[in-house]
Amino acid sequence: MITNTELQQKGNQFPNKVVDFKKDADILYFTTENEVILQLTVLRDSVIRFRFGTGGVFEPDFSYAIDEDGIRGYNHLELEEDDAYYFVHTAKLKIRIEKNSLQTSIFDIEGNLINEDELGFHFEESFEYGGNIVKMSKKAQHAESYYGLGDKPMHSNLRGKRVHNWATDQYAFGKDQDPIYKSVPFYIGLTQKRAYGIFFDNTFKTFFDFCQERMGVTSFWAQGGEMNYYFIYGPEMADVVGSYTNLTGVPELPPLWALGYHQCKWSYFPESNVKEVANKFRELKIPCDGIYLDIDYMDGWRCFTWNKDYFPDPKRMVKELADDGFKTVVIIDPGIKIDKDYWVYQEGIENDYFCKRADGPYMKGKVWPGECNFPDYTNPEVRDWWAGLFKELIQEVGVKGVWNDMNEPAVMEVPGKTFPADVRHNYDGHPCSHNKAHNIYGTQMARATYEGVKKFAYPKRPFVITRSAYSGAQRYTSSWTGDNIASWEHLWVANIQVQRMCISGMSFTGTDIGGFAEQPTGELYARWIQLGVFHPFCRTHSSGHHGDQEPWTFDEGVTDIARKFISLRYRLLPYLYTMFYEYIKKGTPLLKPLVYFDQEDAQTHYRTDEFIFGHHILVCPILEPNAKGRRMYVPRGEWYNYWTKTPVKGGKEQWVDADIDEIPMFVKEGTILPKYPIQQYVGELEIEQVELEVYYGLGKNASKLYEDAQDGYDYKKDRYSYRTFKMVGREKDWIIQQHKRGDFITTYDTFRIHLIGLPFEITTIELDNEVISMEDVQFDPKACALIIKKDFTELHLSGI
Ligand code: GLC
């Protein structure tokens, strides 16, 4: 094991004294006598890039992760120096660099120490890997906690753990197993109530040690490439995650149907089986939008072909499914079967698009179709070709989404389960070995797929899902957490993984509901679907080897629970869509772990189970059998139990009832929760009225509602409707003000406002400054509901 903190280990080299300093606008260069160069770039007042070159040189500056369209710009940049240090000041940070060692300390402008090098940058020349093993060690601050890093299936607080990033096909992975499918070298540190982030943008195998090797030290290192990291200051975790997401990019809005429910299995075939499943959803009135075809739809697992025995007329089938509201999603893997009579293989060979070994032969490996070659998606020309392959599937056949799997890349029956290190990649004009390209391979595949689906789905929006991903993949694709297991432990893992992905910039993620491997009991499935409907991506999937896993395959009770919760998701679609809009605009994660929600409350720092869905809903899954409820921490503030509508005071652990058909769920006071009627699929109904569940709260509060055409790109031309509701609650009156932005005209005319927790009896209703009668708003005292026109400006309720 390579460690970066053992000083005894020979070969660690350290920067020594600075002999040259240069400033080029917002880039500063510090060069040491032994030819280490620190390049420090001020991207924003709170985002600083640190990059170290050795031997007096840098590699070409290229990153797959950084979104060039991300926001740049700072307000202040000032330099100072004394005998021992350089000081860089921005409007938010003071950075102190030691002249003798390049060791760095970062303070906020009040002078609080946020992050401090221990040994700082050091490196070891590696004969085995070539280039350097680049290392960074930092002092852990008092009571510091660590979060993030993508899909790690372990406790949300990473303190005391060492993890590494090397995308791996890990069938039936276990709790704490590391690494698995994704590589997201980004973490958040939280110390003294202040949060910062570090994004180590290096695609080689990277390691992170959070006080595991040494109690007071946190370190990260890579087996190649450069020490190239971004320091992102908060102080709020929301600022850190927002800036990181801005740096690595946000997706476009998905079509609204993609936020509906998806049903998958390995595999639904033949056509009659697909139809049977689809029909059953409609018959049982369980809403569903996505239906998936796994590898058996293909002819001998050859991508972009159909097994005509199972699917004699795919276009007709896809259309018939679409007529009933189902969107067909198909799997496409990277392994291209070696078969001289297969057109995709022929084109790959003719154009030299497949990855090659160092000495010339094509990279050959076994996957589902048998021996395969693999496109080099790091070559832009190959990505273009790949994108073009989707023409028939999307434009002709009418498939609506593509599922990319096995793209770690996975190879069967070989040591390491992937390509050997010597495989060559183009890396967008920076030729390299697989050591460097491995972690990015899956993302580049998903990117090429996205380009193709987007092109041929136009004017509709694309939908892509991937298993492997590196930072920045969120720009192109959603993801799922891979081959989990139908166990209670895995339900715990699923809950943590999706929260972790959300604060790692990749919100559009879900798990295989019910578990992929093995067979869930009805109770486990029920508890999983109750959680799954709160995950940004919501799909049941299973290997199919252990029995069926459609919502009706357990018993009627479970079917009813699945219907109830999937229907709830459809009712909450406008809320979920609004969350997504805020994600694409501000990088706001769709789910927020409790520590993100209230980092000042130390009670939240080691919480794993409770999370906030959007801004206003607190959810906590039941994670064990035979439960009638559970103890959970309700964070500080005033809440309402969603089911009983009773007010609940937060800031303490408490028992919450939740029989098998409920999940602990609370709504924050002062929330306006928009709801659509239940639809069996997105677009089934023209929305005629939107319900606003309004939860009374003292003081000022705000909620939002985003809507558009639910697909297409008109929203980019201002054709959206973005409502902000501001509320002021006092003892005897309640004011709701509305402000709307955007040109989109929604189909409905009225809101049904359902008042919850009203502490007074209404005597007067004023609408846009005019007193109106109870009849005018069809006030229903029993339901405490009224109906008003959608474009009201101010509703004022007062009473005694
Ligand atoms: C992999 C995927 C799984 C899929 C299977 C067959 O195991 O993770 O989701 O069903 O391959 O394609």
Side-chain angles (χ1 to χ4, degrees), residues 266 294-295 331 368 403 405-406 467 480 483 512 516 541:
W266 178 16
D294 205 329
I295 48 174
I331 198 166
W368 307 121
W403 170 22
D405 188 24
M406 308 298 275
R467 191 170 72 176
W480 91 107
D483 296 344
D512 284 353
F516 178 74
H541 179 41

